[in-house]
Amino acid sequence: MTEMQFSVEINAPKERIWETLWGDKTFRDWAGIVDPGTYMVGELAEGSVVQFNSAEGYGVTSTIARLTPKEYILFKHKADTKDHGASSREEQWTGGSESYKLTEKNGITTLTLEFDVPAKLRRTMEVTYPKALSRIKELSETYGS
């Protein structure tokens, strides 16, 4: 696995960005850029297990290792899944981590995303994640308008 990091400055409070990140409708919107049809199943609570599933039926089952609401979340990927989490598949994401950090200063919030990625997917992520962050920025800055 290779570690990747991306960040974006967003003209919105961190609470609004947090809702954009993890609200079902907005999560599906931006995460679908990375993997079409992606949705999350589970509760955002430290120690909880969540699944990230795609329209193709593949996904990752993760534990929320650390959570500071509206500021930081760390997922530890436990297993790759298929059939919408009903069975296991290859272990390309297993053992990796993914974190989202929000830092607000003077009305501008920096979203920093760090994650481990299988080497063969690095180029794809270099294209899709900046687009996803751009969409998070757009959704957060136009929230409620």
Side-chain angles (χ1 to χ4, degrees), residues 50-93:
V50 295
Q51 287 185 328
F52 299 98
N53 295 311
S54 74
E56 300 291 320
Y58 295 103
V60 179
T61 299
S62 306
T63 299
I64 299 176
R66 239 176 86 208
L67 174 66
T68 304
K70 301 176 182 139
E71 290 183 14
Y72 183 81
I73 192 163
L74 172 64
F75 299 97
K76 293 287 188 174
H77 302 314
K78 295 174 30 171
D80 293 318
T81 60
K82 61 183 179 179
D83 304 322
H84 301 287
S87 57
S88 294
R89 67 176 185 135
E90 73 275 4
E91 296 185 354
Q92 67 180 358
W93 290 96

Side-chain angles (χ1 to χ4, degrees), residues 11-30:
N11 188 19
K14 62 185 178 179
E15 294 83 5
R16 184 181 309 159
I17 300 163
W18 188 265
E19 180 57 34
T20 299
L21 286 168
W22 309 117
D24 182 57
K25 182 178 178 182
T26 50
F27 176 82
R28 289 174 188 255
D29 186 322
W30 70 262

Side-chain angles (χ1 to χ4, degrees), residues 106-126:
N106 299 325
I108 304 294
T109 303
T110 302
L111 167 61
T112 304
L113 167 60
E114 295 181 354
F115 61 97
D116 298 316
V117 62
K120 69 181 183 178
L121 295 177
R122 182 178 180 89
R123 287 191 182 268
T124 300
M125 298 305 175
E126 288 173 338

